[in-house]
Amino acid sequence: MSGKIAFLGLGAMGFGMATNLIKKSFHVTGFDVYSPTLARFTAAGGHTSSTPKETVLDAQYVIFMVATAAQILSALFDDTTGAIHNLEKGAIVILSSTGPPEHVPLVRKLLDEKYNRRDIELVDAPVSGGTIRAANGTLTILAAGPESALEKAKPVLDAMAGENLYIIPGGLGAGTNVKMVHQVLAGIHIAMTSEAMGFVAALGLDTKLAFEILRKGRGSSWMFENRTPHMLVEDRTVYSALNIIVKDIGIVTAGGRSASFPLFLSSTTEQILASGVSSGLGLIDDSALVQIYLPQSPLAVLKLASSSPSSSSATSLSPNDPKLLLVEKIMAGVHLAAAAEAMSLGVRVGLEPKKLFEIIATAAGSSAMFVEGATQLLSGVWEGGNVDDVIRDLTEAVEEAHKLKYPLHLTGTALQLFQLAKLKGLGKEPGIAVSRVWDGVDGPLFPRAQV
């Protein structure tokens, strides 16, 4: 075979991934249903085709980065235009779209049993990291599958991930399971960024100054630092459409139902995101989600942003401002509970927790509280403020928000989780004791060290 790459799906992430491969001297033929994108791709040095079937002709590597699992099935197996009709013998097919855990094994089953293409090497390789890292070739890639397939795909995976390539044990579907758990955190943190910054605006604080303080505190997250700057400027660029995280959280909650495992914060997040879509924000950047928290003044976060940190208002907001501390406390409380929810789901679906932590801690789903809380879960050494302290902080915020008629959806759900932990007799235990909410009859998911 030629060593050529067929790349199907040139959306916000896919375009960056494909053009990065071009920069690294790969011959890339791209396909997308949106013709202006194909024109851009040609201008960037790529080749294009009008159907998946044509795109994969003479390609050694075939990468799918379309929006949904259904789109993969269509692009691969369509009776007329499907890639299956022209796949080279021994082609390496890399599935990088986010789908449900059962999707990749289904593709393998169809290749083997319906099309008798056992020669095709299949790699489960979902990605994370955003458009900038996609274009830079530094995405986090969670690759799983047969050893032979992974070895053959490695040159292309390395080119897209650099040092951020993780090989996940467990066969096809294991990489997707890790991505599902990661998206628990990514989704909650995206929604919490809007909840927190909307609360900052509702409290009448300078949103830009508040962001500069909060991003350095214990309530911060990768998503908070990444999404908030887009709220603070008048810029309609779509870096990541709301519909994308809506799809991913739908996969998460479906996975929870399939495993008979409660996902409190993920389910609340799903409803918040659904409200955004029903308000017409689905195709808009997900940082615009803050508008549903402030329906009477959807641009309040932008309007309350100071012109520069050196402006006269720069001295008007202290890190110790009581209102700002309320925001930091809800962020920290929600993110701690989210860490417990995600890590507990990971154990439930059979992932190795230390490896899971290693991956998420440096990926887009990370937060200060995830690192702190997951470290305690893994070591069994619990420390820090207790459950009662978190309940007090979240209650204070909820009561203040009630006066303002401001919705704290995730904060309210997190408060219920910590109250459930208290009902289990854990009020005086460190905050990470909230993880005990997910323990079942077989004992604790994360045993505590004996001291």
Side-chain angles (χ1 to χ4, degrees):
M1 284 182 290
S2 63
K4 294 179 179 178
I5 296 174
F7 202 106
L8 296 95
L10 299 172
M13 290 279 284
F15 191 89
M17 293 165 69
T19 52
N20 164 66
L21 291 169
I22 293 171
K23 293 173 186 175
K24 293 181 177 174
S25 300
F26 288 95
H27 181 288
V28 185
T29 300
F31 170 77
D32 197 271
V33 295
Y34 188 53
S35 56
T37 295
L38 294 178
R40 285 178 58 220
F41 190 62
T42 300
H47 305 267
T48 62
S49 291
S50 59
T51 67
K53 180 179 177 180
E54 294 176 4
T55 306
V56 303
L57 190 64
D58 198 32
Q60 180 178 3
Y61 305 97
V62 179
I63 302 171
F64 285 89
M65 192 57 196
V66 294
T68 67
Q71 289 177 5
I72 289 180
L73 294 178
S74 175
L76 188 52
F77 298 122
D78 184 86
D79 289 341
T80 304
T81 62
I84 188 67
H85 306 298
N86 271 345
L87 280 178
E88 294 289 314
K89 184 175 177 59
I92 299 107
V93 175
I94 301 170
L95 302 183
S96 290
S97 305
T98 301
E102 65 272 14
H103 172 67
V104 183
L106 172 62
V107 172
R108 180 75 268 173
K109 181 181 175 70
L110 290 170
L111 286 170
D112 293 351
E113 298 180 7
K114 184 173 181 178
Y115 295 96
N116 195 27
R117 292 301 305 267
R118 291 174 174 82
D119 60 291
I120 300 298
E121 299 279 13
L122 189 63
V123 178
D124 174 22
V127 302
S128 177
T131 55
I132 294 175
R133 287 175 59 187
N136 291 340
T138 57
L139 284 172
T140 296
I141 297 185
L142 312 168
E147 187 175 345
S148 62
L150 292 168
E151 185 62 31
K152 292 174 183 176
K154 198 169 187 302
V156 172
L157 296 175
D158 283 339
M160 295 190 294
E163 297 179 353
N164 301 312
L165 173 62
Y166 293 92
I167 303 302
I168 311 299
L172 294 174
T176 299
N177 265 332
V178 174
K179 179 65 185 289
M180 178 178 71
V181 174
H182 176 273
Q183 293 308 92
V184 168
L185 294 159
I188 293 169
H189 294 169
I190 286 171
M192 192 58 203
T193 294
S194 286
E195 183 160 309
M197 288 307 297
F199 196 27
V200 168
L203 290 166
L205 303 176
D206 184 310
T207 51
K208 186 172 184 179
L209 297 178
F211 167 66
E212 293 300 332
I213 295 170
L214 292 170
R215 66 189 289 265
K216 301 172 185 175
R218 64 196 304 265
S220 191
S221 69
W222 190 98
M223 288 297 183
F224 180 76
E225 293 196 54
N226 182 266
R227 287 340 195 237
T228 305
H230 202 195
M231 300 179 187
L232 302 175
V233 294
E234 197 165 356
D235 176 13
R236 297 190 180 185
T237 303
V238 179
Y239 295 104
S240 185
L242 183 65
N243 280 339
I244 296 174
I245 195 63
V246 168
K247 175 207 62 171
D248 289 358
I249 284 294
I251 292 170
V252 167
T253 55
R257 291 190 294 272
S258 178
S260 298
F261 196 77
L263 297 173
F264 304 92
L265 288 166
S266 300
S267 296
T268 298
T269 296
E270 185 174 39
Q271 300 309 309
I272 296 169
L273 298 177
S275 295
V277 172
S278 66
S279 298
L281 303 177
L283 297 176
I284 299 175
D285 191 80
D286 59 32
S287 62
L289 185 65
V290 70
Q291 295 178 22
I292 70 164
Y293 282 91
L294 300 162
Q296 302 302 316
S297 184
L299 299 180
V301 172
L302 173 63
K303 292 177 179 178
L304 287 170
S306 61
S307 58
S308 70
S310 60
S311 67
S312 59
S313 63
T315 58
S316 65
L317 190 61
S318 161
N320 296 318
D321 184 283
K323 293 180 179 179
L324 189 62
L325 287 174
L326 273 185
V327 181
E328 182 177 65
K329 288 173 181 177
I330 66 170
M331 293 170 69
V334 170
H335 292 165
L336 182 59
E341 180 164 303
M343 291 296 289
S344 297
L345 176 62
V347 172
R348 182 57 178 260
V349 298
L351 297 174
E352 202 287 307
K354 289 184 179 179
K355 185 70 171 180
L356 185 63
F357 170 75
E358 176 190 348
I359 293 167
I360 294 177
T362 58
S366 190
S367 70
M369 295 309 297
F370 173 79
V371 173
E372 179 180 315
T375 298
Q376 292 184 30
L377 290 176
L378 294 173
S379 68
V381 179
W382 296 359
E383 54 191 6
N386 63 35
V387 168
D388 283 342
D389 294 333
V390 182
I391 291 173
R392 181 196 64 232
D393 292 342
L394 298 185
T395 298
E396 182 183 1
V398 167
E399 291 177 350
E400 180 64 25
H402 180 72
K403 296 175 187 175
L404 300 170
K405 299 297 185 277
Y406 180 81
L408 288 178
H409 304 296
L410 286 165
T411 304
T413 301
L415 175 58
Q416 305 306 307
L417 287 168
F418 284 100
Q419 288 175 330
L420 283 173
K422 180 178 177 67
L423 287 176
K424 288 176 172 279
L426 299 168
K428 302 303 180 185
E429 298 291 343
I432 195 58
V434 71
S435 62
R436 289 287 183 257
V437 169
W438 287 274
D439 290 346
V441 295
D442 296 329
L445 294 171
F446 294 95
R448 191 173 182 185
Q450 298 297 319
V451 293

